[in-house]
Amino acid sequence: MDTLASRLAFARRARDLSQPALAKLAGLSQSTIGNIEAGIRGGASSLAQIAHALEVSYWWLRDGTGEGGPEAC
């Protein structure tokens, strides 16, 4: 998982969430989630909300650094 897109998709699936379900939890649109997973946008302004909704570390989601991915829960 070397990209934000792959980490986001992995964490979302680990929580058994669809893109629309994650979007609702994070207070975002499904297209925002889909665009980040597709690598179309970086999602910098949305990452804190997404990390909180997925219960993962912001830093793990953004950079893949440190602990706090879905496997840590």
Side-chain angles (χ1 to χ4, degrees):
M1 288 179 287
D2 57 345
T3 66
L4 166 62
S6 64
R7 286 186 297 277
L8 175 55
F10 176 80
R12 180 179 58 76
R13 291 183 187 119
R15 296 278 184 243
D16 198 27
L17 294 169
S18 64
Q19 287 183 356
L22 173 56
K24 184 174 182 177
L25 283 174
L28 302 167
S29 69
Q30 184 277 322
S31 63
T32 296
I33 302 298
N35 286 340
I36 297 170
E37 284 191 11
I40 295 170
R41 54 182 290 203
S45 63
S46 308
L47 285 187
Q49 292 166 263
I50 295 169
H52 180 74
L54 288 171
E55 299 176 10
V56 298
S57 159
Y58 169 85
W59 299 108
W60 175 84
L61 186 60
R62 191 186 88 166
D63 301 326
T65 58
E67 298 179 15
E71 60 278 346
C73 299

